[in-house]
Amino acid sequence: MKIQFGALIILPATVFSFSPSITSAPALHHVATTVGGPSPAFAVSSTKRRSAFPTMALSRTSLQMSSEAANSPEEKSMMSKIFEIYTKTANAATTLFPLWTVLFTAIALKRPSTFDFFTTEYFTAALAALMLSMGITLTPADFIAVASEPSSVLMQFSLCYGMMPLLAMALGKAFGLDAGLMAGMVLVGSINGGQASNLCTYIAKGNVALSVLMTTATTVGAILMTPFLCKALLGAVVPVDAKGIAMSTIQVVLAPIAIGMTANKFFPKLVKAILPFAPVVGVVSTCLLVASAVAQVADPIMNAGIGLQIPVLLLHLLGGLVGYWLPKITGFGEVKSRTMAIETSMKSSAFGFLLAKLHFGDYVARVPSAVSVVWMALTGSMLAVVWRYIPVKEDEK
């Protein structure tokens, strides 16, 4: 908890310190204008004083020279060029999000010990940093606008806990999975949306406020829906720690979002300086989160055959496609449809792995969740990058 709180405080300050914005420049420019360009009357009085106060004249001249230096075109041009290079690099890095996911996953599978340092405390802090990087892009007005149209949240909730569990069961039967793997597949389809979906929604130019509300709704809904679906579809009883889920949702999702929105409202200049760094922070956090989860279950993933890899991939891919086209044909706009597609495709696979580990007697039941960690991240990031470069027409929003 200490590390999480520290990350929330240190991250904005650290990023701001490297920001290209120079908040003192307008003030210096004002001083330079006042000192360097006086009216004729002031110039005469200055001449009379110059001999009596040489020190003051020297100080004024020094201040003028330093102000002019601080506002020199060369320095401004250099700062602009540096920021332009950073912007291009950040855009390229964000566009290559799927590649970074593959790279970090490969390292985690090959050498799981590489991410031993990423303990639970760091994991929580990284999730909080991810949510904070999204929170600074939002305002209370965004959530008020979303809350005024609850149909979007209800549609995605039904996709998450209606369509996805049934799709998981259908794929399991189509590929002839045994009882243990079938149970794991259904569990993946019956869990809540993952926090990384908020970042992918941001990259895809979706509705981040809507994505956050959907993640929160399905996470809280998991308290009842996940045990109910497992019992109804599998006959298995899966106890869920309702209090633990609620506390984790507050700590990892709601609190960082609230801090980000508060900063956006009361410290807009600070947020404006931080904002260009938000996608990079989100991508790095997500890659570390995926790699850490994969490293913990590297052996089950490596031992899973192609007969399991394909149905798990199809669960996330088809889930995303249905999650896009069903809202689209029922009258939802492009932005909302993209948001629902990503939210539906990206499940909280790590949570599914934990539930399978704790409550399913058969060891193989946890393997689908382990495999899902990889395909969920890849599917979501690819959808995000593709949509990032497909502009949304004004009449389709």
Side-chain angles (χ1 to χ4, degrees):
M1 190 65 187
K2 292 181 180 178
I3 294 177
Q4 176 183 348
F5 181 78
L8 294 179
I9 300 299
I10 295 171
L11 174 65
T14 304
V15 174
F16 182 61
S17 67
F18 289 95
S19 170
S21 299
I22 306 176
T23 55
S24 60
L28 289 175
H29 180 68
H30 175 71
V31 173
T33 304
T34 304
V35 176
S39 63
F42 183 80
V44 172
S45 62
S46 297
T47 304
K48 290 180 180 179
R49 293 176 193 168
R50 189 173 291 120
S51 59
F53 303 103
T55 304
M56 182 182 295
L58 180 60
S59 300
R60 187 183 296 111
T61 303
S62 300
L63 179 59
Q64 178 178 350
M65 291 174 64
S66 62
S67 300
E68 289 175 349
N71 289 276
S72 63
E74 292 80 3
E75 182 173 340
K76 285 185 177 180
S77 177
M78 179 62 70
M79 293 303 296
S80 298
K81 288 180 179 179
I82 291 175
F83 186 67
E84 184 180 351
I85 292 172
Y86 164 77
T87 302
K88 290 181 179 179
T89 304
N91 285 336
T94 304
T95 302
L96 295 174
F97 184 24
L99 177 61
W100 307 136
T101 305
V102 171
L103 181 61
F104 274 68
T105 299
I107 295 173
L109 290 173
K110 183 71 174 176
R111 301 187 177 211
S113 60
T114 304
F115 298 96
D116 284 349
F117 75 95
F118 209 70
T119 59
T120 302
E121 289 79 8
Y122 286 110
F123 196 94
T124 304
L127 276 173
L130 172 61
M131 291 298 100
L132 179 65
S133 69
M134 297 298 98
I136 62 174
T137 69
L138 302 171
T139 64
D142 295 325
F143 286 94
I144 293 173
V146 169
S148 65
E149 299 180 16
S151 57
S152 301
V153 177
L154 292 175
M155 167 64 86
Q156 200 281 319
F157 193 91
S158 66
L159 289 168
C160 178
Y161 290 119
M163 183 271 292
M164 288 296 279
L166 294 177
L167 177 61
M169 177 165 274
L171 288 170
K173 289 183 176 180
F175 282 83
L177 300 183
D178 61 35
L181 293 177
M182 174 69 80
M185 277 287 292
V186 172
L187 179 60
V188 171
S190 303
I191 53 178
N192 55 290
Q195 284 78 18
S197 62
N198 306 140
L199 170 66
C200 290
T201 298
Y202 177 76
I203 294 174
K205 299 179 181 179
N207 189 326
V208 178
L210 178 60
S211 178
V212 171
L213 280 183
M214 289 174 176
T215 301
T216 303
T218 57
T219 301
V220 174
I223 296 170
L224 295 175
M225 295 305 298
T226 300
F228 168 75
L229 289 168
C230 289
K231 178 64 176 176
L233 298 177
L234 299 172
V237 178
V238 182
V240 176
D241 182 2
K243 183 179 178 181
I245 290 177
M247 289 301 298
S248 295
T249 302
I250 292 172
Q251 292 176 4
V252 174
V253 179
L254 300 183
I257 290 289
I259 292 172
M261 286 197 304
T262 302
N264 197 2
K265 181 174 178 60
F266 294 104
F267 307 101
K269 290 183 179 179
L270 173 64
V271 169
K272 186 178 180 180
I274 294 174
L275 203 54
F277 300 89
V280 176
V281 171
V283 168
V284 172
S285 298
T286 302
C287 287
L288 286 172
L289 289 167
V290 170
S292 175
V294 170
Q296 295 178 49
V297 291
D299 288 338
I301 293 176
M302 294 297 289
N303 294 330
I306 194 70
L308 178 62
Q309 300 283 357
I310 293 177
V312 172
L313 166 61
L314 289 176
L315 174 64
H316 295 291
L317 183 59
L318 294 177
L321 294 176
V322 174
Y324 173 78
W325 284 110
L326 187 59
K328 190 79 170 171
I329 63 178
T330 53
F332 289 95
E334 176 69 19
V335 172
K336 289 182 179 179
S337 297
R338 292 184 183 187
T339 304
M340 283 187 261
I342 291 173
E343 194 70 27
T344 302
S345 174
M346 300 188 73
K347 291 282 194 171
S348 184
S349 306
F351 178 55
F353 179 83
L354 178 63
L355 290 179
K357 182 178 179 181
L358 293 175
H359 306 300
F360 280 27
D362 194 344
Y363 176 85
V364 298
R366 69 187 72 174
V367 179
S369 293
V371 176
S372 173
V373 170
V374 179
W375 291 117
M376 175 274 299
L378 284 174
T379 304
S381 59
M382 285 189 291
L383 287 174
V385 170
V386 169
W387 274 326
R388 180 181 178 86
Y389 291 98
I390 299 178
V392 179
K393 296 179 182 178
E394 195 64 31
D395 59 345
E396 293 183 346
K397 291 185 177 180

